[in-house]
Amino acid sequence: MPAPLPKELRDRFARLIEEGLSGREASRRLQVSAATGARWRRQIHASGAAQIAPMGRPPGSGKLAPHVGFFRELLAQDPDITLFELRDALADAVGITVHHSAIAGLLKRLGFTHKKSRWWPPNAVAPR
């Protein structure tokens, strides 16, 4: 994901607008797109500065966000449940089909991790 344009550039743009340049002229001088100049000019006239907007999807949104409690309940009942079993349980209960990696990402954000036990027998094909 690209980074937002720096605050210093926005401040220079605001100074040019205060000097009387139009948004298009200021954007041409600072070599930003005309659309960006128009958006910054509107922000400057409305609030006094062109603020950096948050990027990306807001947290807590997405297809699985309403079903966090469902996953917590299933994991409380059976801590050894697999991602594929979680996916199938969600499809049976709610009718939503998702990829198992989406469930893995949600569980990771919720703090659920799978750690191998130190006392688990070693892999038969691993070198000793």
Side-chain angles (χ1 to χ4, degrees):
M1 180 179 279
L5 292 172
K7 181 164 177 21
E8 293 80 18
L9 183 64
R10 295 165 189 263
D11 293 340
R12 288 176 55 201
F13 185 86
R15 282 194 301 273
L16 290 174
I17 294 295
E18 289 170 3
E19 291 173 4
L21 274 94
S22 69
R24 186 176 294 269
E25 290 170 344
S27 64
R28 189 177 305 126
R29 184 174 291 182
L30 296 177
Q31 297 181 350
V32 296
S33 71
T36 299
R39 186 174 57 251
W40 286 357
R41 186 188 55 76
R42 281 193 305 271
Q43 288 179 353
I44 290 168
H45 286 300
S47 65
Q51 299 297 324
I52 297 174
M55 296 180 76
R57 195 175 281 194
S61 65
K63 190 188 264 189
L64 294 177
H67 307 291
V68 170
F70 176 76
F71 288 117
R72 287 185 192 269
E73 182 181 328
L74 283 177
L75 288 167
Q77 291 174 4
D78 183 13
D80 292 330
I81 192 168
T82 66
L83 290 174
F84 295 101
E85 291 170 342
L86 286 170
R87 179 197 62 194
D88 296 340
L90 181 67
D92 292 341
V94 185
I96 294 177
T97 57
V98 295
H99 198 267
H100 66 276
S101 63
I103 297 173
L106 174 72
L107 295 179
K108 185 175 181 180
R109 284 190 301 275
L110 293 175
F112 291 99
T113 59
H114 173 69
K115 300 287 184 184
K116 290 185 178 180
S117 172
R118 186 174 146 171
W119 308 110
W120 194 259
N123 190 343
V125 294
R128 292 183 189 248

